[in-house]
Amino acid sequence: MLKAPTRALVITPHPDDAEISCGGTVAKWIDSGTQVFYVLCTDGSKGTDDPDLEPGSLRDTRKLEQIEAADTLGVKKVVMLDYPDGELEDTREFRGRLVREIRRFRPDIVLCPDPHRRTFYFHRDHRITGIVAQDAVFPYARDRLHFNEYELEGLKPHKTGMILFWGTEEPDVFIDISEFMDRKLKSLGCHKSQLSGLDGAFERLRASGEQAGKHLGLKYAEAFRKVVFRT
């Protein structure tokens, strides 16, 4: 079990990924007094199989859906980086933008996708987000001579103590969300443009929550892989 932090930052590839992967934890922590912030990396503009839907229209819709979902959970702020869906790359520019938000929000814990899965293919944007987020946390946000131009904005280096990776094959942290599963599902339901592509999503999330909960004898849990940094 993990104590709720004072501040947490969720770095998420697409609209709806955060709600699917850690929405219960976010709701639980916020109810405990944690300030939670989102950084949404892509615009979600490719997430449809509707032949009549254009990327620009979908992008605008998914932005509004993400804001509504975050509001449902009580997230304090959503920062949208607006990279095109499917086009994230491990670049200095992307890393620097995450460093900026880490130094701005100064989280105790960062939550993001685990980039190191072996038995299930993760969307490329998820893998790149996890890799770049980990590097941004350590050492780039910590060490003042990396991206020291941010000091001109008053953004000092920040040492984040922990990353929790979601979607992991080797979980070692299980967070009890038994009282927050309904709010997790309610937040996911805000992503109406995706519901046709998420047939059975609610049932699958309940099932995965039950599976994770078995590790601690809980009704529902969310599972993560923990990486701790010396602070």
Side-chain angles (χ1 to χ4, degrees):
M1 302 300 288
L2 190 69
K3 181 180 177 181
T6 301
R7 299 166 74 86
L9 178 63
V10 178
I11 300 177
T12 182
H14 309 103
D16 79 22
D17 288 330
E19 287 72 44
I20 290 170
S21 302
C22 62
T25 296
V26 167
K28 179 184 179 113
W29 284 356
I30 288 172
D31 270 23
S32 298
T34 303
Q35 292 186 333
V36 178
F37 308 88
Y38 277 10
V39 173
L40 172 61
C41 297
T42 76
D43 61 10
S45 59
K46 309 286 175 45
T48 185
D49 57 5
D50 184 343
D52 297 320
L53 195 55
E54 295 298 325
S57 175
L58 181 60
R59 177 194 63 221
D60 294 344
T61 295
R62 297 197 72 186
K63 283 185 177 183
L64 295 175
E65 290 174 347
Q66 181 61 89
I67 291 170
E68 182 183 358
D71 286 346
T72 297
L73 295 174
V75 172
K76 194 168 183 67
K77 187 174 182 61
V78 179
V79 175
M80 298 184 179
L81 301 186
D82 282 329
Y83 288 103
D85 191 349
E87 298 183 31
L88 288 181
E89 298 293 345
D90 184 353
T91 63
R92 184 182 187 278
E93 191 265 348
F94 181 24
R95 188 162 54 252
R97 293 184 74 181
L98 293 187
V99 166
R100 186 182 189 280
E101 302 309 328
I102 291 167
R103 291 182 180 176
R104 176 186 179 191
F105 295 123
R106 311 187 77 75
D108 306 298
I109 296 177
V110 165
L111 301 94
C112 63
D114 191 333
H116 302 300
R117 297 191 62 145
R118 298 181 299 275
T119 62
F120 178 80
Y121 183 78
F122 239 6
H123 190 300
R124 176 178 173 80
D125 283 342
H126 289 236
R127 289 183 284 123
I128 295 297
T129 296
I131 289 169
V132 177
Q134 178 172 282
D135 291 341
V137 167
F138 180 88
Y140 290 90
R142 184 199 67 171
D143 293 347
R144 62 172 296 271
L145 294 181
H146 291 301
F147 300 100
N148 60 344
E149 63 269 26
Y150 292 148
E151 289 191 301
L152 298 176
E153 302 177 44
L155 299 177
K156 303 296 185 182
H158 176 68
K159 299 176 181 180
T160 297
M162 182 185 300
I163 289 179
L164 292 181
F165 287 113
W166 72 62
T168 182
E169 295 171 333
E170 300 174 335
D172 53 14
V173 170
F174 299 88
I175 296 179
D176 182 2
I177 64 163
S178 300
E179 298 180 15
F180 298 92
M181 176 59 81
D182 287 344
R183 199 190 308 176
K184 173 187 173 89
L185 298 180
K186 182 179 179 182
S187 69
L188 181 60
C190 295
H191 297 278
K192 296 180 177 62
S193 70
Q194 302 301 295
L195 291 181
S196 63
L198 292 172
D199 291 338
F202 295 153
E203 291 77 10
R204 289 195 298 272
L205 286 178
R206 287 191 184 277
S208 65
E210 289 174 351
Q211 185 63 35
K214 289 179 181 178
H215 290 268
L216 295 177
L218 303 170
K219 184 176 182 180
Y220 296 116
E222 288 174 338
F224 305 91
R225 179 170 66 88
K226 177 178 65 177
V227 173
V228 177
F229 301 95
R230 186 177 65 189
T231 58

